[in-house]
Amino acid sequence: MLVAFDFDGTLSDSEMTVLLGSQNGTAEDMADITERAMNDEIEYAESLRQRCALLEDLPDEKAQAAFDEVTLRPGAAEVITALRDAGVYVAILTGGFERGVEAALETEGVEVDAIVANRLPVKDGKLTGEVRGPLISGTKDDAMEVVTAVTGEDRDTTVAVGDGANDLPMLEVANLAVGFDPKPAVAPSCDTSVETMDELHELLEAEEIL
C-alpha cells in the first residue's frame, strides 16, 4: 500500500514561496501567482519559475529562516505516523522545496519513506532565482510511477491526497483520489474529499488502510 501526499495546501497550510517572499518583500506577488496556478489559470511550471525568479539574491540564511517556519497542519504528523505504523509506504510529492518539507517533518519528529521535491540552487551564499528538480515541468503521475516501480506496489493499492491543479495527474492515476479541501477545478477528479486531518484519519480507517 502506498499513500502519496501533496505538501503545500495538504500536509501543510504553509505556502513555502510566500514564506520565502516575506523575506524580501515579494510575498504578495508570490501569493497571486500561486493562486492563479492552483486554479489552473497559469501553467504550474511557469508559475514556479516566476515565483523563484522573485527570490534572486535572497541570502541563503534568510531562505533557511523561511524554511524553518514551515509547519505541518494539525493532525498531519499523527496520520503519517499511523500510516507508517500500519506498514504503509508514505511519499510526499511536491512542487515545493525539499528543505522546507524536511524542516517541517523534523519539527514534528516524523519521517516519511520518500520525498520528491524541488530545490533552490545557491551560489555565493545567495539564491540564484532558479529552481531545479523533478516536479517543475515533470508531473506527479510520473513521480508516482517511479515511486510505485521502486516500491513494487500495484497501482490499485495507491492513494493520493492533494488540493491543487498540479495534483490532478496524481489524483487521476491513484486508485483512491482524496481531495483535501480541493480547489473547484480539482474536486471533480476526486473520489472523495476531506476538510481536516482528523477526517482523513477516519477515511483511511473506513477504507481499511489504517
Side-chain angles (χ1 to χ4, degrees), residues 25-70:
T26 60
E28 208 167 296
D29 297 331
M30 294 282 191
D32 290 344
I33 298 168
T34 300
E35 189 63 24
R36 291 176 62 206
M38 290 297 102
N39 286 319
D40 224 6
E41 295 167 22
I42 176 174
E43 192 195 9
Y44 182 77
E46 177 57 28
S47 80
L48 188 59
R49 289 192 184 94
Q50 285 181 18
R51 285 176 283 166
C52 293
L54 294 171
L55 297 170
E56 186 176 357
D57 290 334
L58 181 71
D60 189 46
E61 64 265 22
K62 287 197 167 188
Q64 189 59 50
F67 289 135
D68 287 341
E69 287 182 55
V70 179

Side-chain angles (χ1 to χ4, degrees), residues 100-111:
V101 175
E102 287 171 347
L105 293 172
E106 195 174 319
T107 298
E108 294 282 353
V110 292
E111 294 181 353

Side-chain angles (χ1 to χ4, degrees), residues 57-61 122-127:
D57 290 334
L58 181 71
D60 189 46
E61 64 265 22
V122 178
K123 187 178 180 185
D124 299 328
K126 295 179 178 179
L127 302 191

Side-chain angles (χ1 to χ4, degrees), residues 99-168:
R99 282 164 66 187
V101 175
E102 287 171 347
L105 293 172
E106 195 174 319
T107 298
E108 294 282 353
V110 292
E111 294 181 353
V112 296
D113 296 286
I115 299 170
V116 181
N118 294 324
R119 297 178 308 283
L120 294 172
V122 178
K123 187 178 180 185
D124 299 328
K126 295 179 178 179
L127 302 191
T128 64
E130 299 171 324
V131 57
R132 305 252 169 88
L135 288 174
I136 302 167
S137 51
T139 52
K140 293 190 182 185
D141 54 340
D142 294 336
M144 204 148 161
E145 190 83 45
V146 171
V147 175
T148 50
V150 168
T151 59
E153 296 289 349
D154 293 326
R155 186 59 63 74
D156 61 5
T157 60
T158 57
V159 179
V161 188
D163 73 308
N166 68 318
D167 297 319
L168 283 169

